[in-house]
Structure formats: C-alpha cells, structure tokens
Amino acid sequence: MVLLLVATLTYAQQNTDQSKFRQLGTELPTPNTYRTASGAPGESYWQQRVDYDIKVELDDEKQKIKGTEMITYFNNSPHPLTYLWLQLDQNVVHPESDTYKTATNKLGERVSAGQLNGMLDNSFDGGHKIEYVKDGTGKALKFTIVKTMMRVDLPTPLIAKTGKIQLQIGWSYNINDRQNPALGADSRGGYELFPEDGNYLYTITQWFPRLAVYDDYNGWQHKQFLGQGEFTLPFGNYTVAITVPSDHIIAATGALQNAKEVLTADQIKRFEEAKTATKPVVIVTQAEATEKEKTKAKDKKTWVYKAENVRDFAFGSSRKFIWDAMGVKIEGSPVPTVMAMSYYPKEANPLYGHLSTEAVAHTLRVYSKHTIPYPYPVAISVEASNGMEYPMICFNYGRPEKDGTYSDRIKYGMLGVIIHEVGHNFFPMIVNSDERQWTWMDEGLNSFCQFLAEQEWDRSFPSNGGQARNIVGYMKADKEVQNPIMTNSESIIRFGPNAYTKPATALNILRETVMGRELFDFAFREYARRWAFKHPTPYDLFRTMEDASGVDLDWYWRGWFFTTDNVDISLDAVTEFRMDTKNPEIEKPLASKKSKEQLERDVTFQNNKRDLATTAVERNEALKDFYNSYDPNAPAPTDRERYEKYLASLSPKEKAIIEANKSYYQLDLSNQGGLVMPLIIKFEFEDGTSETQRIPAEIWRLNDKKISKVFAFAKPVKQVILDPQEETADVNTENNYYPRRPIPSRFEVFKQEGFTRGASMGSNPMQQAQQQKKAGSN
Ligand SMILES: [Zn+2]
C-alpha cells in the first residue's frame, strides 16, 4: 500500500532540561514534616495562636480612637522566642511614613490641587501612638518601633510549644479622612464626613497593635507595610468592647453579646424576625436613621462582641446607619443560621436596601459550594465608598445619584465589589495566606470565585475577571509593565490585572479548558478544606491541585505563574491530502482532469487560444496520428487486472482504510507567545456541519515551538478555527483561522452636523428613562 501520507517526524530540538513540561524543581521548597509533597499540612504542622481582649472608645468629636488591649500569645512553635513582633499599620499614614517617601510621582502639564496634595501633603498627624507595653502583671516591657512594626522584648524566652504570655498595650490615633487621596488608599479605613448633615461614618480597620505571623517558612513575617501588601495575622479569639455615642449603630466582626443594652426592643424583635425571613428585614429604617442625623447624643453606649477563630477584627460606626438582615442556611456549616447583614447611609439607597444583603447571602452560598461551608455567625456588607475586607465584615462602594437613579456601571460594580469583599472571608480570612508576600493568593483566588458567583447571579453579568479574553490586553502588553504572578505584593507594577484578573483567569482556564470542571472543583475544594484556618503557601496550592486531580500541572504553573509569556498559537498551514486508491476507475479520470486543468491554466495556451484562429493540426487533419486522440489517463484493461491483484494482497483493515476514502488534513501550528496550551480545534465542513476536537497541552511536549498533526474526515473541510470560544486567552486571534479571514473592524462615522456630544452627559439610562416617563413621551 502506498500512501501519500507521510508521518511528520518532529525531533526534539532542545535539551530536556529546557522543556516546558519538566517538573517544577528549584521553584518549589523541599517538602518537610510541616508541609508535605502532596500539598497538605504535614504531621508536625504548627501555627501560633493569639487571643485579644480589647476595650476601645471612638471619639466622634475629635475623630480619634483610644484603646487598651490584653493579648494572650500562645507559642505553639518548636522554637523558644525572645521577642515578639507586632504590626502598627496606622503608621502607614505617619508623617515620616516610607509610603510617602517612596511614592514616585511626576508633574504633568495639568495637575489638580487634589492630585498635588496627594503627592506632597503629609501633614496629617497619623500613626499609632503607643502609650505603654506591659506584661500580664503590669510590668513594663521594652519595645522598639520600626516604622510599621514593633518589637517587644521578653525578659525571659517564651518556651517552645507550650509557652504563653500576656501583653497589655495602650494606644490611640487620629482617624484619617478616608477620601483624602494622600491618606485613604493606604490606611484602608478612616472616616467619611457627610457635609449635608454634619455626621461621620467610621470604618475602623487595622486599628489595634496586632501580633505578626511567626511560621515555619518565614520566621517572623515583619515585612514593612507600604500600602499594597495587605497583611497576614494569626488566628485567635476576640472579645471587643466598643464605646461610641449612644445614637450610633455598630457593625462589627463577631456576635453581639449585649443586644439588650444597646438595641431597642423593636430592633431586637426585627432582628429575631430576620433570622427566618426569606428576604432582608429592616432593623433600623431609613426614616429612623434620618431622624437621628438631626441631633448628636452626648451619652455613650458600649457594644460587646465575641469572635472565635478569626485573624482580625474591624468595625463600622455611625448614627447614619440603616441596617437590614436575613438568615441564611449553609449546608454543612457549624452555624445553623448565618446572618447576612448590611449597614449603609441613606445616600446608598435604593441600591443597598434592594441588593446588598441578597448579594451577601448569594456569595455565602456559592463560595461555600466551591470551598468550605461558611463557618461564622454573621457576614456583613457596609457601604463606605471604598472596598476592603475583614473577617465577617467588609466595606464596599456603590452609591446612586441623588435622585436615586444609577448607571449599570455602579450597579454591577457594587454587586461585584460586595461579592468580592464578602468572598474574602474565604480567602484570606479562613484560608489564611500571606497577603504581605503574595497578593494573588487571596485576590486571585477570590476574584476567580467572584466570577463564579457573578455568573450564578445573572447569566449576562458583566464580569471583569475570569473570562479568558478579558486578560488578553494585559498579557500582550509590553513586558516592561508586567511581572510574573509570583511577585511580591509591593513590587507588582499593574496591581489589578497582575494580582486579581490574571490568576483568576488562569484558574478559570484550568477549570474550563485544562482540567474540566469535575476534577478542578474537587481539587480546589480540597485545597480550601486542607488549609482552612491554616497558613498555606503558593506551593501548597500548586501541589494540592495536582495531588487531588491526578493532572500534571507543573507546565501550567510555570508558564502562567512564573513567567510573563502569553498565549499565541498560530495555525500556520492546513494541507489537504488524498489517498491514492490505486483504483483505475477513480485515479485515472482524476489524473486526466488534473492534466486538463493544468493545461487550461497555462498562460501561453490561454493567450494562443485568444490570438491564434487555428493551429497546424487543426488546419491539416493529415498531420494527426494515434497520439492526437490518445488519453494516457484512460483506464486500460491491464490496469483493472493489476488493481484486482493489489486488492487481493491487502488485509481487511488496509482495505477498510482505502474504502473509507477520507479526506486528510495536516495542520502545522507554531507557538508564538511562549505558553504551551491545549489545542481546541473546530473543523467546519463544506456541508455546513462542524466538529470540535480538544487536545491536551502535552501535544507540545517534544517541541514547544512547532508541531504538526493529521486529522481525517469523511467529508471535506472548509475552514479550521483554533480556540473558537476564546477560552485560552490567545492574544492574537488573527492567526487562529485557516484560511485566514479578514479582521473584523468597525468604523464609527461621526456626523458633524447636528451631533452634540455630551448632550446626555451626567445622566444614566435609568435617569433618562425616568425623565422620559415624566415627560410622558415614553
Ligand atoms: Zn480583594
């Protein structure tokens, strides 16, 4: 049997050490008894514990915080400790802060006063003012403040494994204006003044001296806080008593212990109703909150909270708060009813009253399905014109216009941010990764789950992360503005795409394209289960995802997380092959047709047809002989005989291949972007049908630059398309079609006359619709 098909032999041109499929080696730490090669905590895994008993008072007149805390520190580590490190995050807005000093900036031709202020003003008297540090018995301890960190020296070493010590610290600080560009972004919390009614809304975060993490892979994590790398903290139990003006409502981490002392009988009754309600129940109404805005209480109330097994504590406080709640049942949760709750000023209505608590509940349900059941008694969304997360509580943006209308950008932005910030309960509040080192460990994993939750909220939710095509712009950008995902939090150049969108997209591609949903979901849940209430590293994630799924992903982690390569697979050529059947009845007419076609193409033949009326043999029949009518491609009797003999020599299998009479296509592909990826190839046939084949990335294992592969079909192919659903983040789809097709582009024709740009500026579709309705034009 002679086939025209020739298998293309591809030779590995590179030495195996350079293969994109080599196992991760030096990139991973050596497994040990704390962290195993499977990605699970090892038999000697340990982590520190720290409990807090805090009393704090909020001064609404001077915008100050003053507090005392009793810290109980448990040394579970196998090492004696001679000092402890604490975080003083408020020092990020200290006048001498490195954040101010190391911020780079430039003056353009036009700079607003606000921008200039943001660059140069460090006059705010911010930062933790430490009053004292004492041991449990009241004996003063020596402490040294190192910018945003504080070392407390212990008179005797805290013994390994069973050591326990109490510290008492007194402190205060001035609360910053959260909306001041010089202060707001880095301090995460602060106050907002509402000039129309003269009231403040406080979000009190990163507010008490907090023990740093001491662990098996960092020792002390006391890297300075510059603003980007959030924080990492040990787990423990909290009792916090917060004293505020008596007309304030507090939203806080944990369960309220003294409802009868701080809430009215009506509020308590409404709260009880909310537990079994199927939609949010308003506990403090807008009318009640608006009434309170008019006066300022002189007396005070103390709200007491307890929170177990959390890594931090935050709260919001204002007399402006409207408050609603709804009970949520989470299958498998140790808490029978989780209270999804929202607190917001009237300025956030109608959006927050309508959607916030529902979004909280939705987030808990979807995330619990994909990770572990939500284990805490409350989950709170506070409207505070920014976005930041703490255990059980987060602060979110999303404020409508004064007339109550809002744009789709505000609506979906608000839903996205609530899902995102509530979602942070899972990463990093429960699966407690080190944010100061790896932003993507919480932001990326959380943005991925956010995408899942958004798509379960609404099929057409305009999600930012997750969809492969949305990361293309970043991944094809200049390499100078890109870092690998595995870059320290403070050194990331483009924070959003690098630490949020790219890892989220990378995980979604694993789920939809590389591993499939079933294997991915099982492995991802296993990672969350293994590391819930523990401190995972990226390597524990990488290892667990492989260990639980049975899919070798080393090539994927290396390409997507350790490099800035992108995906650009080019379909360079498609060559059609046909098998020589040896059947003279088929092959000879074909050959005859081909030679006639060739003659017809010939330029001299064509021009002579035009220019010569006749040729010599046409003019004179006598010049002709046998060969003027002989067709070398006409089947001869001997051909038939030879073919019968040939058929008799074939095995049944060989005969079947020949009789199938298929069309064969060789696809030549090249890897232009660097990342090896699965091939998703759609074949569109001439009869209008199509077929998609999915080929694992390992097709690139012998040559990661150029490969060829043959496909056979019973019907002719018209078009071949690579990655037809845009699921691989291919940065150049122009070379994904064979034959190539024109790149779609759209011209926008601006009509000069009668076109007034900005005629509808400042209004949103909702507002326009309402105005139209009012005008009766509808
Ligand atoms: Zn986040």
Side-chain angles (χ1 to χ4, degrees):
M1 176 170 69
V2 181
L3 296 179
L4 292 177
L5 290 174
V6 181
T8 314
L9 294 174
T10 43
Y11 295 98
Q13 280 154 356
Q14 68 274 48
N15 111 32
T16 42
D17 283 341
Q18 295 308 308
S19 160
K20 291 184 191 289
F21 289 89
R22 72 190 187 279
Q23 295 299 284
L24 286 173
T26 51
E27 296 92 339
L28 299 182
T30 308
N32 53 41
T33 56
Y34 309 127
R35 286 161 205 274
T36 69
S38 72
E43 69 272 24
S44 310
Y45 178 84
W46 56 269
Q47 65 188 23
Q48 306 295 68
R49 174 182 154 189
V50 56
D51 293 348
Y52 294 86
D53 190 336
I54 308 177
K55 292 178 178 56
V56 62
E57 184 166 343
L58 172 71
D59 184 337
D60 187 35
E61 270 161 35
K62 297 200 187 100
Q63 289 76 54
K64 270 185 79 163
I65 275 283
K66 192 170 165 55
T68 61
E69 63 183 350
M70 173 72 89
I71 298 172
T72 309
Y73 189 73
F74 300 83
N75 183 17
N76 297 329
S77 82
H79 320 127
L81 298 175
T82 52
Y83 45 78
L84 305 178
W85 281 96
L86 291 94
Q87 301 183 2
L88 303 179
D89 279 4
Q90 286 299 320
N91 287 358
V92 80
V93 291
H94 188 279
E96 289 298 311
S97 162
D98 279 359
T99 306
Y100 296 137
K101 290 180 185 166
T102 61
T104 54
N105 31 48
K106 266 187 189 170
L107 286 176
E109 277 180 23
R110 287 172 62 84
V111 181
S112 73
Q115 285 169 322
L116 202 59
N117 198 36
M119 284 178 203
L120 300 171
D121 178 24
N122 60 347
S123 59
F124 175 66
D125 180 20
H128 273 111
K129 299 177 199 309
I130 301 295
E131 211 175 297
Y132 59 82
V133 180
K134 299 173 190 166
D135 69 8
T137 65
K139 214 174 111 218
L141 294 174
K142 183 178 181 290
F143 63 93
T144 308
I145 294 173
V146 187
K147 300 170 183 179
T148 61
M149 304 296 303
M150 175 169 75
R151 193 189 71 232
V152 176
D153 298 342
L154 306 178
T156 52
L158 191 56
I159 59 169
K161 289 184 178 173
T162 55
K164 180 176 135 183
I165 189 173
Q166 289 198 307
L167 296 183
Q168 301 185 67
I169 303 177
W171 79 97
S172 66
Y173 68 84
N174 293 318
I175 302 169
N176 60 272
D177 177 354
R178 212 174 45 231
Q179 261 123 351
N180 179 338
L183 307 166
D186 300 322
S187 70
R188 310 291 163 136
Y191 67 75
E192 179 181 356
L193 171 64
F194 291 76
E196 285 176 17
D197 53 71
N199 286 295
Y200 289 85
L201 190 156
Y202 298 91
T203 59
I204 305 300
T205 66
Q206 297 170 232
W207 54 283
F208 55 98
R210 306 178 295 181
L211 248 299
V213 164
Y214 180 75
D215 62 31
D216 60 285
Y217 61 95
N218 270 325
W220 284 104
Q221 172 50 297
H222 48 20
K223 196 171 159 48
Q224 290 294 330
F225 181 45
L226 291 172
Q228 270 194 175
E230 290 174 341
F231 51 86
T232 181
L233 296 161
F235 288 105
N237 299 335
Y238 287 67
T239 303
V240 181
I242 309 164
T243 302
V244 294
S246 64
D247 53 356
H248 271 217
I249 289 287
I250 289 183
T253 301
L256 179 63
Q257 302 297 302
N258 60 338
K260 282 193 182 130
E261 289 165 31
V262 294
L263 300 180
T264 66
D266 268 353
Q267 287 165 349
I268 291 174
K269 197 174 133 255
R270 292 168 187 167
F271 185 80
E272 288 304 314
E273 278 168 30
K275 285 182 181 171
T276 52
T278 51
K279 58 178 194 196
V281 171
V282 181
I283 296 163
V284 175
T285 67
Q286 181 160 337
E288 288 162 352
T290 310
E291 191 53 36
K292 280 201 288 183
E293 286 177 359
K294 295 173 186 162
T295 55
K296 290 184 173 57
K298 287 280 167 253
D299 55 337
K300 287 169 183 167
K301 273 184 183 169
T302 299
W303 302 52
V304 181
Y305 288 87
K306 274 189 193 293
E308 278 175 26
N309 216 5
V310 288
R311 77 193 298 247
D312 198 7
F313 188 104
F315 66 95
S317 184
S318 182
R319 63 177 60 83
K320 289 178 67 68
F321 275 149
I322 301 162
W323 173 19
D324 70 49
M326 175 173 74
V328 189
K329 302 249 182 267
I330 300 291
E331 206 191 312
S333 171
V335 182
T337 303
V338 179
M339 294 307 286
M341 309 201 280
S342 300
Y343 298 74
Y344 41 93
K346 65 176 188 300
E347 286 76 6
N349 260 342
L351 258 182
Y352 266 67
H354 181 210
L355 295 175
S356 176
T357 294
E358 294 278 10
V360 174
H362 175 76
T363 307
L364 297 181
R365 291 187 192 108
V366 177
Y367 275 66
S368 293
K369 193 168 71 181
H370 286 284
T371 61
I372 60 153
Y374 186 72
Y376 293 134
V378 302
I380 295 169
S381 158
V382 178
E383 198 284 331
S385 73
N386 62 351
M388 187 58 197
E389 68 281 1
Y390 299 91
M392 305 185 219
I393 187 170
C394 56
F395 305 102
N396 310 309
Y397 99 111
R399 219 169 263 182
E401 309 284 338
K402 285 212 163 65
D403 67 1
T405 63
Y406 44 86
S407 65
D408 49 352
R409 194 181 57 80
I410 289 283
K411 176 194 166 172
Y412 290 106
M414 167 203 128
L415 284 172
V417 93
I418 293 177
I419 292 170
H420 180 96
E421 307 304 345
V422 173
H424 269 307
N425 274 296
F426 297 85
F427 308 102
M429 301 305 155
I430 296 167
V431 180
N432 190 349
S433 57
D434 182 350
E435 298 173 86
R436 194 145 297 175
Q437 178 58 37
W438 308 113
T439 296
W440 72 268
M441 284 284 287
D442 67 303
E443 297 300 353
L445 272 60
N446 183 37
S447 297
F448 162 68
C449 293
Q450 177 194 346
F451 172 68
L452 300 180
E454 286 172 348
Q455 296 304 309
E456 281 200 39
W457 177 273
D458 190 340
R459 283 184 204 284
S460 58
F461 198 104
S463 293
N464 202 7
Q467 300 283 19
R469 63 173 170 274
N470 292 348
I471 197 62
V472 165
Y474 172 65
M475 289 182 75
K476 73 177 177 193
D478 195 323
K479 302 278 187 212
E480 293 233 321
V481 299
Q482 290 191 54
N483 309 100
I485 292 174
M486 288 292 285
T487 296
N488 173 261
S489 306
E490 298 289 0
S491 303
I492 297 167
I493 305 165
R494 290 182 59 193
F495 206 60
N498 176 286
Y500 293 62
T501 327
K502 187 177 168 186
T505 307
L507 290 172
N508 196 50
I509 291 173
L510 275 184
R511 182 171 190 253
E512 301 284 19
T513 305
V514 177
M515 300 167 78
R517 290 187 172 190
E518 198 187 332
L519 289 181
F520 178 92
D521 289 351
F522 177 83
F524 192 72
R525 259 196 308 273
E526 180 65 6
Y527 166 71
R529 197 189 61 74
R530 283 178 175 182
W531 291 97
F533 299 106
K534 294 192 174 71
H535 300 276
T537 66
Y539 321 107
D540 301 317
L541 171 71
F542 297 154
R543 286 173 157 149
T544 296
M545 290 302 289
E546 289 195 10
D547 191 65
S549 69
V551 182
D552 178 5
L553 298 171
D554 284 26
W555 61 273
Y556 193 83
W557 304 132
R558 176 182 287 109
W560 278 81
F561 288 74
F562 290 88
T563 78
T564 55
D565 287 352
N566 61 33
V567 182
D568 180 13
I569 297 173
S570 166
L571 180 52
D572 295 331
V574 177
T575 318
E576 185 176 359
F577 290 87
R578 214 187 54 80
M579 191 180 292
D580 182 351
T581 61
K582 297 274 176 208
N583 183 346
E585 313 291 339
I586 294 172
E587 298 302 330
K588 288 223 153 168
L590 271 176
S592 169
K593 189 173 163 234
K594 208 172 162 190
S595 83
K596 273 182 199 140
E597 281 169 357
Q598 198 158 3
L599 189 62
E600 287 291 328
R601 269 200 302 272
D602 187 89
V603 64
T604 308
F605 178 84
Q606 283 295 339
N607 289 347
N608 281 349
K609 247 169 102 177
R610 183 190 64 206
D611 297 342
L612 300 179
T614 55
T615 62
V617 293
E618 284 162 2
R619 282 191 300 271
N620 186 356
E621 280 287 316
L623 295 179
K624 290 186 176 172
D625 69 0
F626 170 79
Y627 288 102
N628 287 90
S629 57
Y630 169 69
D631 180 357
N633 289 313
T638 49
D639 292 337
R640 185 83 225 159
E641 237 169 76
R642 212 182 307 140
Y643 178 57
E644 298 290 345
K645 253 191 213 158
Y646 164 70
L647 281 183
S649 75
L650 294 177
S651 71
K653 215 174 181 180
E654 287 169 324
K655 218 180 266 176
I657 292 176
I658 291 187
E659 279 161 7
N661 194 24
K662 287 191 171 177
S663 303
Y664 295 83
Y665 298 89
Q666 176 183 309
L667 272 58
D668 298 331
L669 299 124
S670 62
N671 176 359
Q672 310 281 336
L675 291 184
V676 286
M677 285 297 275
L679 299 179
I680 302 112
I681 311 171
K682 184 178 183 188
F683 296 92
E684 290 180 349
F685 301 105
E686 277 174 8
D687 67 2
T689 59
S690 68
E691 177 183 329
T692 300
Q693 297 209 14
R694 305 181 73 89
I695 297 166
E698 278 77 2
I699 192 169
W700 298 98
R701 72 192 181 280
L702 294 178
N703 186 332
D704 56 48
K705 301 201 174 56
K706 258 182 173 348
I707 50 167
S708 298
K709 191 170 173 68
V710 172
F711 299 84
F713 299 103
K715 45 194 177 181
V717 170
K718 192 177 71 187
Q719 166 103 60
V720 185
I721 305 169
L722 260 191
D723 192 13
Q725 291 180 286
E726 298 182 358
E727 59 190 283
T728 64
D730 195 316
V731 301
N732 175 15
T733 50
E734 206 183 303
N735 57 22
N736 288 14
Y737 295 88
Y738 203 93
R740 295 280 185 266
R741 56 188 198 188
I743 310 154
S745 100
R746 211 162 61 101
F747 288 98
E748 266 189 67
V749 182
F750 286 99
K751 208 171 151 194
Q752 292 290 322
E753 273 175 299
F755 180 80
T756 43
R757 247 208 130 104
S760 62
M761 277 253 280
S763 68
N764 54 60
M766 197 171 164
Q767 198 174 53
Q768 286 166 26
Q770 288 189 2
Q771 282 163 356
Q772 251 180 3
K773 218 172 175 183
K774 251 189 229 161
S777 58
N778 206 19

